[in-house]
Amino acid sequence: MSTLSHPYKDCPEPKEVPTEYRKDVDALFEWIKQQPRFPAFTLNHAHLFLHACHWVIEDAKKALQKYAHIHATAPDIFDNRDILSSGVQLVLNMTHMVSLPKLTPEGYRLLCYRLSETDPSRMNFAEAVKTFCMFNDVQISKDGPIDGYIVVFDMKGVRLGHLARVQFGPLRTFMSYIQDAHPVRLRKIYIVHTASFINQVMSLIKPLIRSELLGLLQFCSSGPIDILPAELLPKDYGGPLTELAAMHAEQKKEIETDYREWLIDSGSLKEAPKNSTTSSSGSSSIKPPVKGFRGLEID
């Protein structure tokens, strides 16, 4: 059972909710408490998911159900969340995962991901997905219900050998989680320095992508300086900010020192086994897969 503050490490008390949505957040939290197989979701979880789903209660319920279910059924991604484990450390040492410090004029956070070591033989895809999800949970803890995220995936250094190491199980879990359960408003995904074999990449993942997410993708053969304001970018991308490697090292250290216990504790936020607790009717609280998560929509 979770013993720490979630989904925000340093915010055990409920965050302020816009007046017009307080009743909805309270109603969603009451519904959460009635779900027999749910983990210890908090009022802040209700607020976060309802915000991500643009205040549509039914969508938030589906996202919460999917979140709890995926966390329970994908132990390779969501169990053993120790930031100092060898597998996670390998990923952190061969990538740059960075939250850029300045928001866009619209109030969106920029997240940047790229390889720092390009040897495909060292890549473990499941551990990479696990690390990515841990990094993003930390960012949600820091940001709270932010207006949106823009993601920059830099393909420089990505080879066909990396593609060969992709495992379908973790990939399917990741795509389901991002589209159905990740409690953020995803605004745009830029794929920069697009590799020549991008069509092979898309043929692998396209069957798992719905039109809502596909519409957020934008490919660019050059760097982010051609699509984003320079003042938001690090020096190695043509901006004035600290280089990406230095920001990654600083943020990595912060997660290792300040968020290690919190991430390990978050492993308990998952659906209980079906036979451990049942509702009065004996039916499962988990519904069929979600057809669409409002968190992926663009206003």
Side-chain angles (χ1 to χ4, degrees):
M1 182 176 179
S2 174
T3 59
L4 300 180
S5 173
H6 295 282
Y8 314 123
K9 182 178 75 70
D10 298 320
C11 185
E13 298 301 319
K15 283 185 176 287
E16 185 176 355
V17 179
T19 303
E20 64 268 34
Y21 298 118
R22 287 176 186 170
K23 288 184 179 179
D24 291 336
V25 172
D26 289 341
L28 180 60
F29 187 49
E30 287 304 312
W31 173 84
I32 287 172
K33 291 188 288 186
Q34 294 170 13
Q35 306 311 304
R37 295 170 59 202
F38 265 22
F41 287 136
T42 63
L43 187 62
N44 277 332
H45 278 105
H47 180 194
L48 177 68
F49 275 83
L50 200 53
H51 174 271
C53 293
H54 297 266
W55 310 108
V56 179
I57 290 181
E58 288 306 311
D59 288 351
K61 288 179 180 179
K62 292 175 183 178
L64 277 157
Q65 288 173 324
K66 196 69 174 179
Y67 179 97
H69 184 64
I70 291 177
H71 276 66
T73 56
D76 52 338
I77 306 301
F78 292 105
D79 278 1
N80 304 315
R81 308 188 88 201
D82 187 351
I83 198 72
L84 296 183
S85 67
S86 59
V88 173
Q89 283 291 305
L90 177 64
V91 174
L92 289 172
N93 288 331
M94 62 185 300
T95 61
H96 291 151
M97 296 188 177
V98 173
S99 166
L100 297 179
K102 292 186 177 182
L103 300 181
T104 69
E106 300 84 2
Y108 305 155
R109 173 76 64 196
L110 284 168
L111 302 177
C112 188
Y113 306 92
R114 73 179 183 187
L115 292 175
S116 59
E117 183 178 319
T118 60
D119 181 0
S121 69
R122 289 174 52 80
M123 189 187 86
N124 182 309
F125 186 75
E127 289 291 340
V129 173
K130 173 190 280 191
T131 307
F132 179 91
C133 291
M134 291 166 68
F135 174 85
N136 280 276
D137 283 351
V138 169
Q139 196 56 46
I140 291 171
S141 175
K142 292 179 180 180
D143 285 336
I146 198 171
D147 280 343
Y149 287 92
I150 294 176
V151 176
V152 177
F153 284 111
D154 188 344
M155 289 193 72
K156 185 175 287 186
V158 177
R159 307 174 187 175
L160 277 171
H162 291 102
L163 189 60
R165 296 185 69 83
V166 171
Q167 300 161 279
F168 187 74
L171 176 63
R172 183 173 52 193
T173 296
F174 174 70
M175 297 307 300
S176 178
Y177 180 69
I178 290 298
Q179 295 179 93
D180 295 332
H182 196 37
V184 301
R185 295 183 179 182
L186 188 56
R187 300 294 184 171
K188 200 73 178 177
I189 303 172
Y190 292 112
I191 314 296
V192 302
H193 296 128
T194 306
S196 59
F197 52 87
I198 188 62
N199 288 337
Q200 291 166 271
V201 176
M202 291 305 297
S203 67
L204 179 66
I205 65 174
K206 200 168 184 178
L208 304 174
I209 300 181
R210 293 194 297 272
S211 59
E212 296 94 337
L213 183 59
L214 197 59
L216 301 184
L217 292 174
Q218 181 173 326
F219 300 93
C220 178
S221 59
S222 57
I225 190 67
D226 290 337
I227 49 180
L228 293 167
E231 62 268 21
L232 304 178
L233 299 175
K235 293 177 181 177
D236 36 340
Y237 282 149
L241 305 181
T242 304
E243 292 184 349
L244 211 63
M247 282 195 275
H248 169 79
E250 181 180 352
Q251 292 176 26
K252 175 178 179 288
K253 183 178 180 180
E254 179 188 16
I255 295 173
E256 291 169 349
T257 56
D258 295 347
Y259 283 87
R260 183 188 182 197
E261 182 182 359
W262 182 84
L263 282 166
I264 293 171
D265 185 75
S266 69
S268 64
L269 293 175
K270 57 187 176 183
E271 173 191 35
K274 186 176 290 187
N275 61 356
S276 66
T277 307
T278 58
S279 63
S280 57
S281 63
S283 62
S284 168
S285 65
I286 298 297
K287 298 180 181 179
V290 185
K291 292 184 178 179
F293 182 26
R294 289 289 292 274
L296 292 175
E297 293 189 357
I298 303 176
D299 291 341

